[in-house]
Amino acid sequence: MIGSLDARIPSGPIEENWDIHRFEMKLVAPHNKRKFHVLIVGSGLAGASAAATLGELGYQVTLVTFHDSPRRAHSIAAQGGINAAKNYKNDGDSVYRLFYDTVKGGDYRSREANVYRLAEVSVDIIDQCTAQGVPFAREYGGLLDNRSFGGAQVSRTFYARGQTGQQLLLGAYQALERQVRLGTVKVLNRVEMLDLVLKDGRAVGIVCRDLLRGSVFSLSGHAVVLATGGYANAFFLSTNAMNSNVTAAWRAHRRGALFANPCFTQIHPTCIPAGDEFQSKLTLMSESLRNDGRIWVPKNFGDERPPAQIPPEDRDYFLERRYPAYGNLVPRDVASRAAKREVDAGRGVGPLKNGVYLDFADAIARLGRHAIEERYSNLFQMYERITGEDPYEMPMRIYPAVHYTMGGLWVDYNLMSNVPGLYVLGEANFSDHGANRLGASALMQGLADGYFVLPYTIGDYLAGLLGTQPVPTNDAVFAETERAVDAQVRQLLSVNGSRSVDWFHRELGKILWDNCGMERSAETLSKALAEIPPLREEFHNDVRVLGDDESMNQSLERAGRVSDFLEFSELMCRDALHREESCGGHFRTEHQTEEGEALRDDEHFSYVAAWEFNGVGAEPTLHQEPLQFDNVKLAQRSYK
Amino acid sequence: MPELTTEDQRAGADAASILEKDTGAPIVAPPRKRPWIVEFYGSGVGKKWVMAVTGIILLGYVLAHMIGNLKVYLGPEEINRYGDWLRTLGEPAAPRTVVLWLMRTTLIVAFVLHIHSAYSLTRMNQRARPVKYQGPRDYVAANYASRTMRWTGVIIGLFVIFHLMDLTWGAGGAKFHRGDPYQNMLRSFERVPVAVVYVIANLALALHIYHGAWSMFQSLGWNNPRFNAWRRYFATAFAVIIAIGNVSFPVMVQAAVIH
Amino acid sequence: MHLQLRVWRQSGPRAEGRFETYDMPDVVPDMSFLEMFDVLNERLLEEGKEPIAFDHDCREGICGSCSMMINGRAHGPERGTATCQLHLRKFRNGDKIVVEPWRAGAFPLIKDLSVDRSALDRIVAAGGYISAPTGSAPDANLILVPKPVADAAMDAAACIQCGACVAACPNSAAQLFTAAKVMHLNLLPQGQPERWERVTNMVDEMERFFGSCTMHGECEAACPKDISIDFIALMNRDYVKAKFKNRQLESQRG
Ligand SMILES: Cc1cc2nc3c(=O)[nH]c(=O)nc-3n(C[C@H](O)[C@H](O)[C@H](O)COP(=O)(O)OP(=O)(O)OC[C@H]3O[C@@H](n4cnc5c(N)ncnc54)[C@H](O)[C@@H]3O)c2cc1C
Ligand code: HEM
Ligand code: HEM
Ligand code: SF4
Ligand code: F3S
Ligand code: FES
């Protein structure tokens, strides 16, 4: 049973929280570090940076990833950029402003202390990555270049062409491989964590499946770190990589880790609209495009003219009209809902009438085609590949899609979950983005957690374990958990029903998108909650998984993940139903201002909702972590 | 998956070591240091560099040799005088034929190294793909010359042996007078099959050069946007000149232009 | 749109492999190549046959997972495109398409179209990094990088580690991949201190697994990121330099 949630936020002025805390935490002496074995799951920005740094410090690290190389983690796909309060542009940026923007952008549902620390270390991240050789964009003088991003009025976003995520991850991956060579870190590719092992309430290891040989085995360590990414794929169609999933987090949740704010999901405004029913995933067009692209729809319904021939007076630049101050750069949730309104109103463009225009004609006229190529060539190319249309010639068609999940496992200021010894980093935790994440701050958070937070905070826990040894993997707790995992694998193989895993996933996706998507209401959510359990039932009675568990079996892998989505999505809807307010990505139609903006209820819902697992389908227990705002004053977000 | 005790784990032996192959685990310690030059030649890139350098020497020889041979068009005494000049080169400083032998040695060494590296690289590449593609390949960039380097190379090698027997040692079957290359060549090329062999061999050589004289720039790392385009022109021109020059001799003899 | 697939099926590393023919009667031009495989797999499942194993993840041409030899070309007919970005509009109705896994000694086949490319990780581990332990970095703007240099490094850094260069190379050489990895760092000022160590260690590690480069240029043509073989020349130069170099004078550039 979990007592009251202690976020362990240090006392004192927010500017000094982190310094004081770092001083107060226990340290592990260098010669003792190698006596500790840390298990890290996930090789994304968070996992790879943590593994590399812990390895450098001298800990024994084993890193597990289901990818065939750490460098393939989903972070690789991030395009736009990473924020940092460097104020290189001399446009009035500061740690405090980044902190403020992030809390405001998150619609006042995040923890001030965490966000402030994030803003503080953001500066070190850029230094670190540059030193590693990340080829950030440069100006002719050889200095670093910046671009502006949604939700901010300063240019604080660092970028590397349209591949910022790839370049940052390569930096972390290379640091990681360096440790592999030095022998401090072991990397297990194509190995999936399927359960968390607890002994006396502490996380002592994980049970994994070797995806090549099918064998189930255990790893034991003094602490377990999950950096396993987000759960946007619950919606089936999302911008996430096909294999991203909630399994690791969910199985930890089943073992007692609290899941916080699962209903805070982000819909990204600029994605390529679905083309046909075979669509396997949606592709993001980086938010940075909103720097130079103008978003519009035809004023008159059913205007069939090709975009170029629609004169300005017949165009509605709805974002610029509604939000003069931020224009096309309003935060994602705002931009997404605005676009949805236009399409729902029937002004959608494209063959399926399911998009709005993102137009570069003006920018090309103003800056010349070359400048635009410089900035976005690979994005334009990507768009052209997928749609067969040339964005230099005709405007892009874009539409919102599920993109990121602010919710995640609950963690305290040290990034440790309520389960002692279980740390959660990156998108997998709920920590810093509140109800909505600003563009270019997930990369920032992932690296902050891995490079600059965990390496300090984990020592505080490990110091207490000095002299103890990891629980042997032949201990009963491991055997037990292995058996449980084995059983589940066999169960999935034994059903041999009639429907494919993907079919169930698509069904689940439809339910979530229609009822728990960009707009939710008590009615739609109850509907979803009524539909999910039967679907889950059907899954376990009628799913068909062929092949064996002695060799690579991708449908078996997916089956496990989808069965977790089926359990998890119920929690997501419950959370959405319980939160009787609109904030950030969570928009309840019952709660909106007359202009149709999100309407928060700070009096009743200014807390983190952390859910405790009580069994599949059973009502979870709600734990509340109240949020205090001593430094930013709560206000109705306005981007007008 | 065998049981693992904590002791094993502390010794670094955990399931990780069992999955070694997939892990990119610690790099095995490199073998004991050998002399740097051996190290260098031991590596593929090093061999490639040697091929390029020896290639250049061979190119130089082939060109010079062709120019020398062009003298046949100026008549017997011209070319024969050239032959003498070669033998007496460096006199009186160096005794007769010494300089020539120096040149020959360089040439032989270059040839041997060139062939040896060619051979070992070829083996290396064959080992690198034990199972070939089962469907048809569709090459986009690799041209005929680059894909036949090994064959053209072998042809050249065999040709040179025959050629030496034929025109240097006089073991080629034709009447032979040491020191009278003009007549030797004439008698040799009057025989149609021999003429044909020469033509084929030199076309093979041209093909070899067409790729080689470009590829060597890459091997040596001579890469600069300013002259990259010219590397191709150079190789093409070189190949064409050698082809025309060398092929002309047997053809002209057959056509009785030279007699 | 009607296509015919001939796909390599092999149940495991040591098993016998063969081509299976699959008829795709009604696919649409806007479908991506991998979506066609999704559809095919769904169908196989219904017929009670095991689906085709193939690697994929991002489906945006950035993670480097996807890897198919399509009609004798790594990543298929379109230049500068990963398999996952290839769309059926690039094929003609009635086409017969042969699909094979990457083939190279260093890429042991796992199943069907999926191979193990961890040898590439080894090359990176051998030296494809800059030793900059966390926290030791100076302010980012203290290191000036001329834009042309930054751009060149970025061109090399764009490599997604897909291994198409190896698959396409008649010699199974990983020269383009290694060159991209080496030169990304060797071009940058931050990379200078370890420059010569890096190139020797990475090249030597590479040659433990892969063939040698004879400048066919197939790799460049197959590379989804259009990485230029000029980088191979630069790497060769650095390698030779590194071997001849007096390491005491390493501070000397070039
Ligand atoms: C298309 C796209 C564009 C984006 N662009 C930006 C941007 O411009 N700026 C920005 O700030 N953010 C961006 N984001 C968000 C950002 O990329 C992610 O939030 C962030 O990279 C998450 O990193 P991570 O390390 O937490 O997790 P991931 O990078 O997702 O890594 C998860 C890792 O965990 C492993 N894993 C997961 N489960 C298991 C398991 N059960 N067993 C073993 N291993 C497991 C995976 O193999 C993987 O290695 C973007 C996201 C998307 C989808
Ligand atoms: C006078 C004769 C020859 C000349 C002028 C010549 C020239 C060259 C040149 C310039 C190269 C390019 C080297 C590089 O890319 O680094 C080359 C490569 C090569 N040569 Fe020769 N060569 C000759 C004879 C031979 C012989 C006799 C053989 C084999 C028996 C041979 C086999 C090869 C091979 C296999 C290559 C490798 C192809 C490549 O690496 O691109 N060559 N040659
Ligand atoms: C049709 C073209 C050629 C002609 C007419 C020709 C002619 C000759 C003649 C007449 C000699 C004897 C010189 C002497 O003994 O004084 C000779 C020697 C020689 N040729 Fe050629 N040659 C030709 C092509 C080549 C080629 C392509 C090669 C090499 C790839 C080659 C390599 C040699 C060598 C190594 C010798 C011995 C030189 C020496 O004795 O030092 N020749 N050639
Ligand atoms: S160089 Fe090109 S082809 Fe080779 S791995 Fe990198 S991206 Fe793939
Ligand atoms: S195709 Fe192969 S031979 Fe060299 S140029 Fe590319 S690696
Ligand atoms: S699936 Fe990621 S590159 Fe093709």
Side-chain angles (χ1 to χ4, degrees):
Chain A
M1 180 56 230
I2 296 107
S4 72
L5 289 180
D6 175 10
R8 301 218 255 145
I9 299 167
S11 52
I14 195 163
E15 297 79 4
E16 294 160 22
N17 279 167
W18 183 226
D19 282 351
I20 295 171
H21 191 65
R22 269 190 299 180
F23 175 71
E24 286 170 346
M25 281 186 296
K26 296 199 222 74
L27 294 175
V28 178
H31 67 283
N32 282 333
K33 289 206 171 77
R34 101 185 89 77
K35 296 178 184 155
F36 291 108
H37 198 120
V38 180
L39 303 174
I40 299 182
V41 186
S43 64
L45 286 176
S49 56
T53 309
L54 292 181
E56 285 161 4
L57 289 172
Y59 294 106
Q60 289 186 48
V61 180
T62 303
L63 182 141
V64 175
T65 167
F66 62 61
H67 283 101
D68 70 324
S69 161
R71 65 92 58 209
R72 308 215 194 279
H74 171 57
S75 298
I76 208 83
Q79 303 168 344
I82 177 170
N83 287 335
K86 280 284 194 186
N87 192 30
Y88 281 158
K89 282 279 171 279
N90 189 34
D91 54 4
D93 197 9
S94 66
V95 167
Y96 201 88
R97 183 180 295 280
L98 176 52
F99 155 70
Y100 198 98
D101 287 350
T102 310
V103 174
K104 178 186 175 195
D107 217 353
Y108 310 96
R109 288 294 174 263
S110 46
R111 223 186 257 151
E112 277 191 337
N114 285 58
V115 178
Y116 194 90
R117 175 178 63 190
L118 177 64
E120 265 179 308
V121 300
S122 69
V123 180
D124 308 334
I125 293 173
I126 300 305
D127 299 343
Q128 180 62 32
C129 296
T130 307
Q132 287 171 340
V134 171
F136 284 121
R138 300 266 167 177
E139 283 162 345
Y140 281 96
L143 296 165
L144 289 159
D145 189 17
N146 292 102
R147 55 168 57 146
S148 44
F149 239 59
Q153 285 171 308
V154 294
S155 290
R156 63 160 73 100
T157 305
F158 296 79
Y159 65 100
R161 295 220 181 124
Q163 330 173 346
T164 316
Q166 146 142 300
Q167 294 315 319
L168 293 172
L169 182 55
L170 287 180
Y173 159 71
Q174 290 165 351
L176 173 67
E177 289 299 331
R178 174 164 169 264
Q179 293 307 310
V180 168
R181 177 180 205 187
L182 298 175
T184 60
V185 179
K186 281 196 189 305
V187 175
L188 305 194
N189 296 335
R190 293 195 197 257
V191 168
E192 181 164 31
M193 167 205 172
L194 288 181
D195 213 335
L196 178 70
V197 182
L198 278 68
K199 185 165 182 158
D200 315 330
R202 289 169 177 271
V204 297
I206 57 178
V207 170
C208 306
R209 186 163 171 277
D210 172 358
L211 299 181
L212 293 187
R213 304 172 189 74
S215 50
V216 169
F217 64 95
S218 298
L219 294 173
S220 154
H222 290 91
V224 176
V225 179
L226 297 187
T228 52
Y231 50 83
N233 271 356
F235 290 80
F236 186 70
L237 280 185
S238 87
T239 64
N240 280 203
M242 301 295 284
N243 298 323
S244 303
N245 65 79
V246 76
T247 294
W250 183 251
R251 308 252 168 131
H253 174 64
R254 291 180 54 131
R255 296 269 169 202
L258 301 183
F259 214 112
N261 301 337
C263 78
F264 288 167
T265 54
Q266 180 171 75
I267 314 285
H268 195 292
T270 54
C271 305
I272 302 176
D276 53 50
E277 72 275 25
F278 308 106
Q279 194 90 22
S280 58
K281 109 179 245 300
L282 296 168
T283 302
L284 177 97
M285 287 285 107
S286 168
E287 177 161 348
S288 58
L289 290 168
R290 285 200 273 150
N291 274 306
D292 293 306
R294 297 180 66 196
I295 296 178
W296 63 277
V297 291
K299 270 211 180 77
N300 352 17
F301 296 88
D303 191 333
E304 292 299 339
R305 286 176 292 181
Q309 289 171 22
I310 301 180
E313 61 273 19
D314 291 355
R315 302 177 175 191
D316 177 9
Y317 293 90
F318 53 91
L319 286 179
E320 296 169 23
R321 173 168 56 78
R322 289 223 200 113
Y323 311 99
Y326 282 68
N328 291 300
L329 287 177
V330 290
R332 293 176 173 174
D333 52 337
V334 179
S336 298
R337 275 195 301 278
K340 184 177 194 296
R341 294 237 171 75
E342 298 304 325
V343 170
D344 293 351
R347 288 198 206 76
V349 299
L352 303 177
K353 296 257 165 285
N354 62 347
V356 300
Y357 286 129
L358 177 62
D359 199 339
F360 291 88
D362 297 358
I364 292 173
R366 193 174 72 254
L367 307 162
R369 185 186 166 120
H370 178 70
I372 298 300
E373 277 171 355
E374 270 278 306
R375 284 178 203 170
Y376 311 114
S377 52
N378 65 325
L379 296 173
F380 278 37
Q381 190 192 35
M382 195 190 270
Y383 181 87
E384 196 275 339
R385 289 261 156 68
I386 291 169
T387 60
E389 296 171 358
D390 175 6
Y392 293 103
E393 298 310 324
M394 65 189 296
M396 288 184 176
R397 285 176 294 109
I398 55 159
Y399 194 64
V402 186
H403 172 61
Y404 180 86
T405 53
M406 284 71 70
L409 292 178
W410 182 88
V411 290
D412 62 17
Y413 187 71
N414 289 346
L415 302 183
M416 183 158 83
S417 73
N418 58 300
V419 176
L422 177 66
Y423 288 80
V424 189
L425 315 185
E427 191 172 348
N429 72 22
F430 88 105
S431 63
D432 300 351
H433 305 297
N436 172 56
R437 173 177 69 81
L438 290 182
S441 34
L443 299 181
M444 174 171 65
Q445 182 222 340
L447 290 177
D449 291 359
Y451 280 134
F452 296 110
V453 179
L454 181 79
Y456 299 103
T457 57
I458 200 170
D460 189 45
Y461 172 77
L462 293 174
L465 298 181
L466 193 55
T468 69
Q469 303 202 339
V471 180
T473 48
N474 50 16
D475 184 290
V477 283
F478 282 101
E480 229 167 82
T481 324
E482 280 180 26
R483 244 179 275 112
V485 169
D486 242 348
Q488 200 226 11
V489 171
R490 308 214 166 295
Q491 193 271 341
L492 288 169
L493 279 168
S494 63
V495 180
N496 197 4
S498 63
R499 287 225 160 88
S500 75
V501 174
D502 281 13
W503 183 86
F504 288 98
H505 199 175
R506 274 179 199 277
E507 288 302 306
L508 177 65
K510 279 202 218 78
I511 297 177
L512 292 178
W513 178 249
D514 296 343
N515 303 304
C516 192
M518 237 182 299
E519 295 188 333
R520 303 121 181 225
S521 71
E523 177 197 349
T524 61
L525 289 167
S526 327
K527 185 156 170 291
L529 282 170
E531 291 174 353
I532 294 170
L535 186 64
R536 191 168 54 226
E537 276 307 301
E538 196 181 347
F539 175 85
H540 287 292
N541 300 327
D542 196 24
V543 70
R544 167 180 268 186
V545 181
L546 297 175
D548 55 25
D549 67 340
E550 267 83 55
S551 70
M552 185 187 206
N553 186 340
Q554 291 171 324
S555 28
L556 179 60
E557 296 165 25
R558 239 177 286 121
R561 295 166 193 169
V562 170
S563 84
D564 289 332
F565 277 133
L566 282 162
E567 294 175 11
F568 164 76
S569 50
E570 200 174 343
L571 181 66
M572 182 156 91
C573 296
R574 280 184 201 280
D575 184 45
L577 183 60
H578 117 284
R579 193 169 275 277
E580 286 285 349
E581 67 165 346
S582 294
C583 57
H586 171 64
F587 190 84
R588 286 284 297 266
T589 48
E590 304 97 325
H591 308 283
Q592 49 181 306
T593 64
E594 49 286 340
E595 303 103 346
E597 299 302 342
L599 183 59
R600 288 199 321 275
D601 177 353
D602 296 326
E603 194 182 331
H604 300 98
F605 289 97
S606 175
Y607 62 75
V608 176
W611 299 91
E612 180 186 0
F613 183 79
N614 294 331
V616 179
E619 185 75 40
T621 315
L622 173 62
H623 300 264
Q624 299 185 1
E625 180 204 336
L627 292 167
Q628 289 162 4
F629 295 94
D630 311 325
N631 300 275
V632 300
K633 68 168 192 349
L634 291 169
Q636 192 51 252
R637 280 193 315 167
S638 162
Y639 292 93
K640 291 199 188 305
Chain B
M1 198 57 57
E3 294 296 353
L4 284 163
T5 67
T6 317
E7 287 319 309
D8 301 335
Q9 281 200 14
R10 299 262 303 311
D14 52 18
S17 348
I18 296 166
L19 301 177
E20 189 76 36
K21 202 189 102 320
D22 319 320
T23 66
I27 308 299
V28 295
R32 56 168 189 75
K33 277 262 163 279
R34 292 165 296 166
W36 72 270
I37 186 69
V38 182
E39 286 268 314
F40 180 65
Y41 189 71
S43 75
V45 173
K47 286 204 181 69
K48 209 55 210 315
W49 184 82
V50 170
M51 289 194 82
V53 173
T54 53
I56 290 174
I57 296 171
L58 294 171
L59 284 175
Y61 176 78
V62 171
L63 185 65
H65 188 49
M66 184 199 77
I67 294 171
N69 290 333
L70 284 175
K71 292 196 164 34
V72 297
Y73 293 114
L74 306 176
E77 42 295 318
E78 271 298 320
I79 173 114
N80 291 354
R81 194 135 52 71
Y82 162 68
D84 289 329
W85 174 77
L86 270 178
R87 281 180 276 278
T88 57
L89 191 62
E91 286 191 2
R96 185 178 159 82
T97 71
V98 163
V99 173
L100 180 57
W101 269 110
L102 284 179
M103 301 199 324
R104 287 172 175 172
T105 343
T106 346
L107 207 58
I108 294 164
V109 172
F111 218 75
V112 170
L113 283 176
H114 191 83
I115 295 178
H116 176 264
S117 38
Y119 169 77
S120 52
L121 285 180
T122 306
R123 295 286 301 112
M124 178 176 177
N125 295 340
Q126 285 163 345
R127 273 198 306 276
R129 182 169 285 140
V131 184
K132 304 267 165 292
Y133 281 101
Q134 308 295 303
R137 276 300 309 267
D138 169 14
Y139 291 111
V140 212
N143 54 35
Y144 185 77
S146 74
R147 297 214 306 281
T148 52
M149 282 306 269
R150 282 144 203 167
W151 300 119
T152 50
V154 171
I155 293 173
I156 300 166
L158 297 175
F159 162 80
V160 170
I161 296 166
F162 164 75
H163 176 61
L164 288 177
M165 289 164 58
D166 181 29
L167 292 179
T168 310
W169 307 324
K175 263 208 219 71
F176 183 79
H177 289 292
R178 180 158 300 289
D180 185 359
Y182 186 86
Q183 286 307 322
N184 297 340
M185 195 195 308
L186 211 60
R187 295 210 194 74
S188 176
F189 292 2
E190 276 163 348
R191 302 167 297 173
V192 178
V194 175
V196 173
V197 167
Y198 268 80
V199 171
I200 294 175
N202 282 286
L203 290 179
L205 176 66
L207 207 57
H208 194 82
I209 292 174
Y210 175 82
H211 180 66
W214 172 80
S215 152
M216 66 184 185
F217 288 100
Q218 288 284 98
S219 305
L220 294 168
W222 292 347
N223 183 298
N224 180 333
R226 292 203 191 78
F227 65 71
N228 278 355
W230 289 93
R231 302 183 304 180
R232 202 12 58 251
Y233 305 149
F234 169 81
T236 316
F238 205 111
V240 170
I241 291 169
I242 295 297
I244 294 176
N246 279 357
V247 169
S248 76
F249 304 117
V251 171
M252 288 308 170
V253 172
Q254 286 293 324
V257 176
I258 310 173
H259 45 69
Chain C
M1 176 169 189
H2 181 278
L3 295 173
Q4 199 186 54
L5 291 176
R6 288 190 73 228
V7 183
W8 185 261
R9 300 304 306 266
Q10 185 170 336
S11 59
R14 266 159 243 81
E16 266 301 311
R18 75 210 165 291
F19 279 113
E20 289 275 349
T21 309
Y22 302 104
D23 210 40
M24 303 303 289
D26 36 30
V27 289
V28 298
D30 279 343
M31 234 184 197
S32 83
F33 198 77
L34 293 186
E35 276 158 11
M36 171 167 67
F37 271 75
D38 296 340
V39 173
L40 174 56
N41 276 346
E42 286 281 308
R43 197 177 84 202
L44 289 175
L45 198 81
E46 277 161 25
E47 298 166 359
K49 304 202 189 88
E50 227 190 296
I52 301 164
F54 63 95
D55 282 315
H56 67 98
D57 196 17
C58 73
R59 299 214 173 178
E60 291 180 4
I62 194 70
C63 74
S65 300
C66 58
S67 46
M68 292 186 184
M69 201 74 181
I70 302 165
N71 283 341
R73 292 238 220 137
H75 286 313
E78 193 177 6
R79 228 189 143 94
T81 315
T83 304
C84 58
Q85 294 170 289
L86 183 62
H87 283 65
L88 297 187
R89 60 178 87 88
K90 287 282 175 291
F91 295 90
R92 264 177 285 88
N93 188 12
D95 278 359
K96 292 187 175 26
I97 307 175
V98 183
V99 183
E100 250 190 287
W102 287 171
R103 294 205 189 268
F107 291 170
L109 190 144
I110 295 167
K111 187 170 193 171
D112 296 338
L113 301 174
S114 171
V115 299
D116 177 349
R117 286 166 284 186
S118 37
L120 299 178
D121 291 325
R122 301 269 191 127
I123 296 174
V124 174
Y129 47 75
I130 289 172
S131 302
T134 309
S136 60
D139 181 276
N141 261 348
L142 282 179
I143 308 164
L144 292 182
V145 184
K147 196 171 186 305
V149 174
D151 289 345
M154 183 64 222
D155 289 339
C159 165
I160 60 173
Q161 205 160 323
C162 61
C165 43
V166 178
C169 175
N171 311 338
S172 312
Q175 222 86 1
L176 190 61
F177 165 75
T178 313
K181 285 292 166 191
V182 170
M183 293 322 292
H184 158 210
L185 300 174
N186 277 16
L187 286 168
L188 292 168
Q190 305 92 298
Q192 296 313 311
E194 291 164 301
R195 180 175 179 177
W196 314 112
E197 281 303 314
R198 179 179 300 118
V199 67
T200 33
N201 292 344
M202 289 178 77
V203 168
D204 293 347
E205 185 68 9
M206 167 185 83
E207 291 180 349
R208 289 181 49 211
F209 299 97
F210 298 95
S212 90
C213 174
T214 57
M215 309 299 164
H216 285 300
E218 281 296 321
C219 49
E220 182 183 60
C223 177
K225 294 298 161 198
D226 289 320
I227 292 175
S228 158
I229 56 173
D230 292 352
F231 286 117
I232 296 180
L234 299 185
M235 176 180 74
N236 290 343
R237 177 167 64 191
D238 268 14
Y239 184 83
V240 175
K241 272 219 188 101
K243 287 287 185 182
F244 284 78
K245 204 152 181 69
N246 173 348
R247 297 290 171 90
Q248 270 77 46
L249 302 180
E250 260 180 15
S251 61
Q252 293 180 347
R253 281 295 176 74

